[in-house]
Amino acid sequence: MNILQKIFSDYYEEIKYTLHPRPTELENIEKMINCGDPAFGGAMYGCPHCGHLKFVPFRCHSRFCPTCGTKYAMERTTSMSFKLVRVQHRHCVFTIDESLRDYFLEDRSLLNCLFHSVSSVVSRMFFNLNHSKNFTPGFIMVLHTFGRDLKWNPHIHCLISEGGFSDDAFWRNINHFNYTFLRNAFRTALLNEMEARLGPSFKKTKSHCYKEHKHGFYVYAKPNKCDPNTVVKYIGRYLGRPVIATSRIDSYDGKLVTFHYNRHEDEKYVVETVPAMDFIKRLIRHIPEKHFKMIRYGGIYARHRDIDQKLIPAISKEKHQIFLSFNQWRTAILSAFGYDPLECPNCKQKMLFLELYFNHKRVPLEELYEKEMSKSRGKRSSA
């Protein structure tokens, strides 16, 4: 049991009956607490030479779990990298005014407004380059609801191609991004979207935002070294990561939790100690609603046209299997911790899969497969 599981296990009853978490919050908390518990099943491996046995428990596959969330980030990073074309990309961050943050916390459906606003602004910036050519960029948007201090701070990280592809298969490179346009257009687009959703009651807040941000909301869009050769490493670092890693939690004494972070403004090392329940509140608010898409694709990355086949991908199809292999459980453990989990400790031979255990019973793989397929067939017939 890691330190985060310990914190949530100790306060589970208090969380459930005093915080009254959303259904998706409670579901992810329970998954994370029981992650790696052998009682929930697993796989049995055995060495064919010496007979040594090893039981590997199931994981929860929750993005909230620091272990499974990291693996999820690796898988999404790989998936994103396959979509990118072999051109320079720019990492942009679209932020909002502090007075707007609570709106997104109270009504999480408003988070869609952030994606719609960023998408329209980026598309318009490239469309203005040449209306007749209709240059379309490729961009990936990722929603982060947290800052380094774990407070509620929704913002969009966006990876944008430095160029666009026209309808007549012509690529135009872009080295200059119009920051003034991005800031002003994003402010206007977001405030208009929110007013359309919230009605006249939002007008006072809207006028306040225009008054306080005469030059638009802050958009970070400086050039960076996001070239095609290092794009997988780059997007993995910035676009896919869990809320907090266990390495950032320094101590827990049953009542107080101490964690650290580097402050975004000046990279100053900050250590913060808070009551356990406050720490839990900060974390669970970042659990998204079920089926809500935190990563969205726009422009040429969202399309499936025949003409897009003329673009050269950043990672060739021949290398896809190689990159995917790094997401497999055995390879991920080997690369992260330096040991092979399926190597027999006695004779150093590779252990083989023997049986699967589910609900305290041995279950053949064929039975599990048929069970899942019958569920799938039932859903399709009812639809």
Side-chain angles (χ1 to χ4, degrees):
M1 180 177 285
N2 60 47
I3 189 170
L4 201 61
Q5 288 176 309
K6 175 64 175 170
I7 295 169
F8 277 84
S9 295
D10 290 348
Y11 285 87
Y12 176 76
E13 296 295 329
E14 191 172 345
I15 294 169
K16 187 174 181 178
Y17 296 109
T18 63
L19 294 184
H20 305 293
R22 293 174 289 133
T24 186
E25 289 176 346
L26 190 60
E27 179 185 348
N28 279 274
I29 289 170
E30 290 175 346
K31 280 184 178 181
M32 185 267 294
I33 290 175
N34 298 315
C35 183
D37 187 344
F40 288 83
M44 181 68 76
Y45 292 86
C47 178
H49 296 272
C50 67
H52 178 78
L53 298 176
K54 179 176 182 177
F55 183 77
V56 180
F58 289 143
R59 288 294 174 177
C60 66
H61 302 291
S62 168
R63 284 180 286 175
F64 181 62
C65 174
T67 302
C68 298
T70 301
K71 189 174 186 304
Y72 171 83
M74 289 171 57
E75 292 171 350
R76 296 306 305 168
T77 295
T78 305
S79 176
M80 283 189 280
S81 63
F82 291 162
K83 286 182 174 286
L84 300 182
V85 295
R86 185 164 284 279
V87 296
Q88 197 85 5
H89 285 71
R90 190 167 303 196
H91 176 208
C92 302
V93 184
F94 293 81
T95 64
I96 63 174
D97 181 72
E98 286 188 21
S99 63
L100 299 178
R101 294 176 183 175
D102 287 342
Y103 285 97
F104 297 97
L105 185 60
E106 294 167 5
D107 183 1
R108 290 173 183 265
S109 65
L110 289 176
L111 292 170
N112 288 308
C113 296
L114 286 171
F115 285 107
H116 297 159
S117 302
V118 171
S119 179
S120 64
V121 167
V122 173
S123 298
R124 260 193 294 153
M125 184 181 74
F126 278 82
F127 180 72
N128 291 338
L129 297 175
N130 189 314
H131 293 190
S132 60
K133 287 282 187 182
N134 188 27
F135 287 105
T136 305
F139 53 98
I140 301 174
M141 299 170 288
V142 181
L143 173 66
H144 279 192
T145 59
F146 52 90
R148 296 180 182 179
D149 56 1
L150 305 182
K151 292 179 181 177
W152 180 257
N153 178 21
H155 56 282
I156 297 285
H157 287 256
C158 191
L159 197 66
I160 310 172
S161 62
E162 292 192 356
F165 196 49
S166 66
D167 294 335
D168 58 357
F170 176 76
W171 180 270
R172 175 172 175 178
N173 288 315
I174 304 298
N175 296 321
H176 172 71
F177 278 33
N178 190 334
Y179 306 136
T180 303
F181 172 81
L182 287 174
R183 294 188 184 108
N184 284 290
F186 176 60
R187 176 198 59 189
T188 302
L190 179 60
L191 293 177
N192 287 343
E193 283 248 3
M194 293 182 70
E195 185 181 16
R197 290 284 303 276
L198 299 172
S201 61
F202 183 70
K203 285 187 176 180
K204 185 176 180 180
T205 305
K206 182 179 178 181
S207 61
H208 168 78
C209 289
Y210 273 108
K211 183 179 179 181
E212 292 296 318
H213 301 273
K214 296 179 180 179
H215 302 291
F217 292 155
Y218 179 70
V219 176
Y220 175 88
K222 293 182 180 179
N224 41 55
K225 297 179 180 179
C226 189
D227 59 85
N229 296 323
T230 60
V231 72
V232 179
K233 181 179 179 181
Y234 190 87
I235 61 178
R237 179 182 176 187
Y238 287 98
L239 301 187
R241 57 189 177 94
V243 178
I244 189 170
T246 52
S247 58
R248 285 180 52 200
I249 305 175
D250 299 321
S251 64
Y252 165 62
D253 61 4
K255 294 182 178 180
L256 300 175
V257 179
T258 301
F259 66 98
H260 68 269
Y261 59 92
N262 291 320
R263 194 162 59 192
H264 181 74
E265 294 81 3
D266 51 11
E267 290 298 322
K268 182 181 178 181
Y269 185 83
V270 178
V271 178
E272 195 169 343
T273 300
V274 295
M277 282 299 289
D278 289 346
F279 178 76
I280 289 168
K281 288 178 187 177
R282 286 198 196 183
L283 283 184
I284 64 174
R285 65 175 56 179
H286 302 296
I287 297 175
E289 290 297 323
K290 201 167 187 176
H291 306 305
F292 183 82
K293 294 183 178 179
M294 303 287 284
I295 302 172
R296 305 189 188 184
Y297 301 89
I300 58 175
Y301 294 151
R303 300 182 179 186
H304 301 281
R305 307 176 300 172
D306 293 336
I307 194 174
D308 294 341
Q309 299 299 319
K310 297 183 179 181
L311 292 167
I312 302 173
I315 298 175
S316 63
K317 290 186 178 180
E318 293 77 16
K319 295 181 180 179
H320 282 197
Q321 290 301 321
I322 299 173
F323 279 82
L324 286 171
S325 68
F326 286 101
N327 291 336
Q328 295 174 357
W329 167 72
R330 182 186 180 191
T331 313
I333 294 292
L334 183 61
S335 59
F337 301 104
Y339 75 93
D340 186 349
L342 293 185
E343 182 183 90
C344 177
N346 299 328
C347 57
K348 307 301 180 184
Q349 298 295 319
K350 179 185 174 182
M351 291 189 289
L352 303 177
F353 171 78
L354 298 179
E355 289 178 320
L356 202 66
Y357 290 82
F358 184 68
N359 287 340
H360 310 283
K361 295 186 297 184
R362 297 179 181 179
V363 182
L365 287 175
E366 294 82 0
E367 184 180 326
L368 282 180
Y369 175 78
E370 286 300 328
K371 186 177 179 181
E372 291 301 319
M373 289 302 293
S374 63
K375 284 183 182 178
S376 178
R377 285 192 292 266
K379 289 179 182 178
R380 286 199 295 267
S381 61
S382 62

